Amino acid sequence: MQEAKHEIERKTLEERHQMSDLERLRHSCAHVLAAAVLRIWPDAKLDIGPPTDEGFYYDFDLEHRFTPDDFERIEAEMKKVAKENQVFERSEMTREKAITHYENSGQKYKVERVNDIPEGETITFHRNGEFLDLCAGPHVPRTGNVKAFKLLRLAAAYYRGNENNPQLQRIYGTAFKNKTQLNEWLEAQEEARKRDHRKIGREQGLFTLSPMVGQGLVLWMPKGGIVRTELQNFMQSELMGRGYSPVFTP
Ligand SMILES: [Zn+2]
């Protein structure tokens, strides 16, 4: 499984209030995802579900190993949660009550996330339907506002990004205001994938990549070697033709 690329820092209340409409929608969709996962796998332990540049994610700890084959089932459950048009209801708890609540439900990561909240800051929960989550918001008013979403991929993510911690399963997804925007974005992603130089270069036998050598390090194959040499020769002759005098330094 691919490793997660980013760890999201806890947002301050001020930063939360600055979340754009799209970020609110995407973060709300993360709640819908978590609610759906809990309906299918009630023993799942939850961490956090922030918005990202391309959508959102939610981190889970559960025995079942997610595969992309699970996406259809999870998305179908998410659609049900959206269709139920649940209101995102805000509530508050004291620190002691919040910790007891999560200890009783075996949500150990959430207990730690409660402890992250600075003294004096209100401990806020949001409920949609049966799913209650530690979260200061903001969200869209109802799950029915989450109309166009797609689960994208999985990644392994160490809790808090620390390799000494348990490895969680991250589900990435995205959400848009409507299906047209979602489909446009998905098509653009697909086009970009087709034009990815890493894909084209390998298909044409120009180079290969190997995790044994290192991520992103190119191993030139004979055909790629020809292209590379031709380019170097061309550059060399252009430089010479334009009067450059090469110097060499240690
Ligand atoms: Zn939230």
Side-chain angles (χ1 to χ4, degrees):
M1 195 187 287
Q2 191 195 343
E3 283 224 6
K5 285 194 191 73
H6 29 44
E7 289 308 317
I8 303 265
E9 292 289 320
R10 186 171 186 276
K11 280 189 165 50
T12 62
L13 282 178
E14 202 178 320
E15 283 167 337
R16 286 184 165 273
H17 291 307
Q18 288 166 357
M19 268 162 78
S20 69
D21 288 350
L22 188 60
E23 283 176 317
R24 278 170 200 238
L25 175 72
R26 288 171 166 178
H27 167 65
S28 305
C29 195
H31 282 256
V32 172
L33 165 63
V37 166
L38 275 179
R39 281 187 181 180
I40 305 171
W41 294 279
D43 60 334
K45 299 200 175 7
L46 275 55
D47 189 25
I48 53 168
T52 65
D53 290 346
E54 62 163 14
F56 62 88
Y57 69 74
Y58 213 113
D59 282 348
F60 302 93
D61 185 0
L62 75 165
E63 233 168 82
H64 170 80
R65 305 310 295 171
F66 290 131
T67 72
D69 290 341
D70 292 321
F71 285 179
E72 206 176 310
R73 185 175 172 202
I74 300 171
E75 282 173 351
E77 200 61 50
M78 288 170 75
K79 276 185 196 140
K80 281 188 209 161
V81 173
K83 208 170 167 201
E84 287 164 23
N85 205 15
Q86 304 159 346
V87 178
F88 279 100
E89 283 175 288
R90 184 183 181 283
S91 61
E92 293 174 8
M93 273 194 217
T94 62
R95 185 173 300 266
E96 293 68 33
K97 227 180 139 191
I99 289 173
T100 309
H101 163 73
Y102 277 135
E103 277 177 351
N104 289 344
S105 50
Q107 294 288 350
K108 58 181 180 179
Y109 306 106
K110 291 290 189 187
V111 172
E112 290 190 32
R113 296 291 180 181
V114 172
N115 285 326
D116 285 351
I117 300 173
E119 281 299 329
E121 196 175 294
T122 308
I123 297 179
T124 315
F125 283 76
H126 276 86
R127 175 187 291 283
N128 61 289
E130 77 280 12
F131 177 53
L132 180 69
D133 203 0
L134 174 74
C135 184
H139 307 101
V140 292
R142 310 176 77 104
T143 57
N145 298 108
V146 181
K147 289 189 176 78
F149 57 83
K150 179 136 187 74
L151 299 182
L152 300 173
R153 64 184 182 282
L154 296 161
Y158 289 108
Y159 175 56
R160 293 183 191 269
N162 182 337
E163 61 183 32
N164 298 316
N165 285 340
Q167 205 172 49
L168 308 178
Q169 301 187 67
R170 177 168 298 177
I171 301 181
Y172 282 103
T174 193
F176 283 86
K177 220 165 65 183
N178 55 51
K179 291 225 165 74
T180 312
Q181 286 181 9
L182 171 67
N183 290 336
E184 278 171 8
W185 184 82
L186 288 171
E187 276 165 33
Q189 293 293 303
E190 188 50 40
E191 286 302 313
R193 248 193 301 275
K194 279 187 219 158
R195 287 164 176 70
D196 188 335
H197 68 278
R198 287 165 298 188
K199 180 174 179 282
I200 295 172
R202 272 189 276 195
E203 282 169 359
Q204 295 185 340
L206 300 180
F207 56 77
T208 187
L209 297 161
S210 163
M212 283 171 69
V213 178
Q215 209 178 9
L217 298 179
V218 167
L219 306 170
W220 293 93
M221 314 263 284
K223 276 192 208 166
I226 295 170
V227 174
R228 191 184 160 130
T229 308
E230 285 300 320
L231 277 171
Q232 277 172 337
N233 291 344
F234 169 71
M235 280 163 62
Q236 184 75 5
S237 66
E238 279 296 305
L239 288 171
M240 291 305 164
R242 289 163 196 246
Y244 278 81
S245 304
V247 289
F248 297 92
T249 55

